[in-house]
């Protein structure tokens, strides 16, 4: 098992330099079907990171889709990470979005935590942004602090995305103010929040633009 886990890590790191990417992908697929949950989880995470370089993305998507429904929560957690990384390359974004939507309601808090983060990474590509926005607000009320932390961070990222899509100055100001507030809420949830850099950065940016 330890060897197979290490192989998954190495394939992730070396994939861009591998001369036969089709064979490397097949090796990775075999690892996603391993009997050991830790190996499947490592392979799922690796699959997300290298997805954009895989020759046959239709087949790779089938493998990733199955991992989001794995019986083991650790594998589903890793699959949520993979969806966040690979979403822009996934050929079936409607199904990918449905998978993220389901993972955001998973019974396991660690799966919900990673789904909350993945929604922020994938938001600009999600076909149903209204529902994604609602899912993030639901996650921001989760009983688990880490879930709330990631949900607020993703709400901030989604607000920044909204700001970049408007040509109205008042809407831009409103969206940036919302982003700053969400980033600050994320930082208040935990000192480990990924928003600890975002909050002062966008506050400074807001001051330069509007003050």
């Amino acid at each position: 098992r330890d060897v197979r886990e290490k192989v998954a890590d190495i394939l992730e790191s070396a994939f861009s330099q591998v001369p036969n990417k089709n064979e490397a992908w097949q090796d990775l697929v075999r690892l996603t079907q391993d009997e050991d949950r830790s190996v499947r989880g490592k392979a799922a995470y690796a699959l997300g990171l290298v997805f954009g370089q895989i020759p046959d993305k239709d087949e790779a998507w089938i493998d990733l889709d199955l991992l989001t429904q794995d019986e083991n929560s650790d594998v589903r957690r890793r699959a949520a990470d993979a969806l966040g990384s690979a979403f822009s390359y996934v050929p079936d974004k409607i199904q990918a979005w449905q998978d993220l939507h389901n993972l955001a309601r998973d019974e396991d808090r660690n799966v919900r935590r990673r789904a909350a983060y993945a929604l922020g990474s994938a938001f600009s590509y999600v076909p149903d942004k209204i529902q994604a926005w609602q899912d993030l607000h639901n996650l921001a009320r989760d009983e688990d602090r880490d879930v709330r932390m990631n949900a607020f961070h993703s709400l901030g990222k989604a607000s920044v995305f909204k700001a970049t899509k408007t040509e109205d100055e008042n809407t831009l100001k409103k969206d940036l103010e919302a982003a700053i507030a969400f980033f600050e809420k994320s930082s208040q949830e935990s000192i480990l929040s990924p928003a600890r850099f975002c909050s002062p950065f966008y506050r400074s940016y807001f001051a330069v633009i509007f003050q």
Side-chain angles (χ1 to χ4, degrees):
R1 184 193 74 176
D2 291 342
V3 173
R4 298 195 302 278
E5 280 188 10
K6 194 63 179 176
V7 169
D9 286 335
I10 292 171
L11 282 172
E12 170 201 324
S13 302
F15 201 90
S16 63
Q17 304 299 319
V18 171
N20 189 339
K21 288 183 172 54
N22 190 60
E23 185 62 32
W25 167 53
Q26 293 298 332
D27 289 338
L28 196 52
V29 167
R30 281 190 283 273
L31 292 172
T32 66
Q33 300 166 357
D34 196 272
E35 63 183 12
D36 186 88
R37 64 184 185 182
S38 297
V39 176
R40 294 199 307 278
K42 286 269 190 178
Y45 184 73
L47 183 61
L49 292 181
V50 306
F51 197 93
Q53 305 172 60
I54 291 174
D56 191 340
K57 291 179 176 56
D58 289 322
E59 285 296 323
W61 163 239
I62 293 173
D63 296 320
L64 181 53
D65 181 44
L66 289 173
L67 288 164
T68 67
Q69 304 162 47
D70 195 274
E71 62 183 13
N72 183 266
S73 61
D74 287 338
V75 177
R76 296 197 303 277
R77 173 175 61 87
R78 293 285 195 165
D81 284 329
L83 272 179
S85 301
F87 203 95
S88 63
Y89 301 105
V90 168
D92 188 351
K93 288 182 172 54
I94 293 176
Q95 184 58 50
W97 150 240
Q98 188 60 52
D99 289 339
L100 259 185
H101 177 63
N102 291 336
L103 291 169
R105 298 180 296 171
D106 197 273
E107 62 184 13
D108 186 274
R109 66 182 182 89
N110 288 317
V111 177
R112 297 196 305 276
R113 174 168 57 90
R114 300 315 303 168
Y117 189 87
L119 277 168
S121 301
F123 189 84
S124 61
Y125 303 100
V126 167
D128 190 347
K129 290 179 176 57
I130 295 175
Q131 184 59 58
W133 183 259
Q134 185 58 54
D135 284 350
L136 285 172
H137 275 282
N138 291 339
L139 289 164
R141 295 189 292 268
D142 197 272
E143 62 186 14
D144 184 82
R145 169 175 286 187
D146 288 339
V147 176
R148 298 195 303 270
M149 172 190 73
N150 280 343
F152 281 128
H153 177 246
S154 290
L155 281 167
K157 292 175 69 176
S159 297
V160 170
F161 169 75
K162 288 183 175 182
T164 66
K165 294 301 180 180
T166 184
E167 296 180 0
D168 179 72
E169 185 173 329
N170 289 330
T171 303
L172 170 64
K173 183 177 182 181
K174 180 180 177 181
D175 287 336
L176 285 178
E177 285 177 326
I180 292 167
F182 286 132
F183 288 141
E184 289 181 346
K185 287 181 179 179
S186 178
S187 298
Q188 290 166 6
E189 291 291 348
S190 173
I191 60 173
L192 300 177
S193 170
R196 288 180 64 80
F197 167 78
C198 303
S199 179
F201 174 83
Y202 282 103
R203 184 168 290 283
S204 299
Y205 178 78
F206 184 88
V208 170
I209 298 298
F210 294 108
Q211 298 171 352

